[in-house]
């Protein structure tokens, strides 16, 4: 073969290689962009919390993916009781479920009769006990 033909073949090979790499990167970028848009649009089922120690008998409804509970006024769900720690626990929504985590509270948290020592999935109708305070959990299904 002559040198001119080899040069043309090398150039064609490089063009094909760069076209393949460009197409691959474009497909990956579109896939990642689509996943982030899908995650951002994921609907969170409303979490309703109520307790007998609060004046209002109706529950507070939360639509954010993180809800903190405790005695501190900075918490999302404030429980003014001496058995509740300032930052007692938190609810978070991930993996398409609501989870509760005790934040090393003094008197602990119990879901039904089980002490919460690590994050645990909560469901509609569960009762969470923080010290001597009961919290009724209601999770509204998405329509």
């Amino acid at each position: 073969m002559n040198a001119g033909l080899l040069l043309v073949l090398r150039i064609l090979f490089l063009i094909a290689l760069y076209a393949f790499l460009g197409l691959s990167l474009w497909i990956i970028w579109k896939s990642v962009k689509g996943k982030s848009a899908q995650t951002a649009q994921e609907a969170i089922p409303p979490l309703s919390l109520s307790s007998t120690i609060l004046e209002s008998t109706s529950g507070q409804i939360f639509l954010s993916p993180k809800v903190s509970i405790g005695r501190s006024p900075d918490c999302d769900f404030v429980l003014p009781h001496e058995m509740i720690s300032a930052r007692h626990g938190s609810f978070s929504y991930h993996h398409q479920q609501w989870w509760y985590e005790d934040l090393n509270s003094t008197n602990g948290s119990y879901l039904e009769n089980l002490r919460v020592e690590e994050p645990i999935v909560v469901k509609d109708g569960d009762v969470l006990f923080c010290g001597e305070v009961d919290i009724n959990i209601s999770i509204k299904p998405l329509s």
Side-chain angles (χ1 to χ4, degrees):
M1 290 184 137
N2 67 15
L5 183 61
L6 283 175
L7 179 62
V8 169
L9 288 175
R10 285 183 182 170
I11 291 172
L12 289 175
F13 177 74
L14 283 175
I15 290 172
L17 180 64
Y18 281 117
F20 174 76
L21 289 174
L23 180 64
S24 299
L25 290 175
W26 182 75
I27 290 172
I28 291 170
W29 179 75
K30 292 295 265 183
S31 174
V32 169
K33 184 179 174 188
K35 291 279 186 196
S36 64
Q38 180 183 14
T39 304
Q41 295 175 355
E42 181 180 339
I44 298 172
L47 174 69
S48 176
L49 302 175
S50 62
S51 179
T52 54
I53 69 162
L54 299 176
E55 295 174 9
S56 172
T57 56
S58 63
Q60 286 182 281
I61 298 174
F62 301 97
L63 300 173
S64 63
K66 289 204 171 271
V67 177
S68 60
I69 63 170
R71 197 176 61 238
S72 171
D74 295 335
C75 291
D76 300 315
F77 189 65
V78 179
L79 296 164
H81 192 274
E82 65 274 359
M83 295 291 286
I84 301 293
S85 297
R87 293 219 169 257
H88 199 92
S90 70
F91 290 91
S92 60
Y93 185 78
H94 52 89
H95 297 103
Q96 299 179 343
Q97 296 175 318
W98 277 103
W99 295 71
Y100 175 76
E101 179 179 10
D102 185 87
L103 300 176
N104 296 322
S105 61
T106 304
N107 296 309
S109 300
Y110 295 84
L111 185 63
E112 303 301 334
N113 292 324
L114 178 66
R115 183 175 174 95
V116 178
E117 295 179 351
E118 58 187 36
I120 189 168
V121 174
V122 294
K123 62 185 184 328
D124 185 42
D126 280 347
V127 178
L128 180 69
F129 297 95
C130 298
E132 296 176 347
V133 178
D134 62 320
I135 300 171
N136 298 306
I137 300 168
S138 177
I139 300 171
K140 307 293 183 208
L142 294 172
S143 39

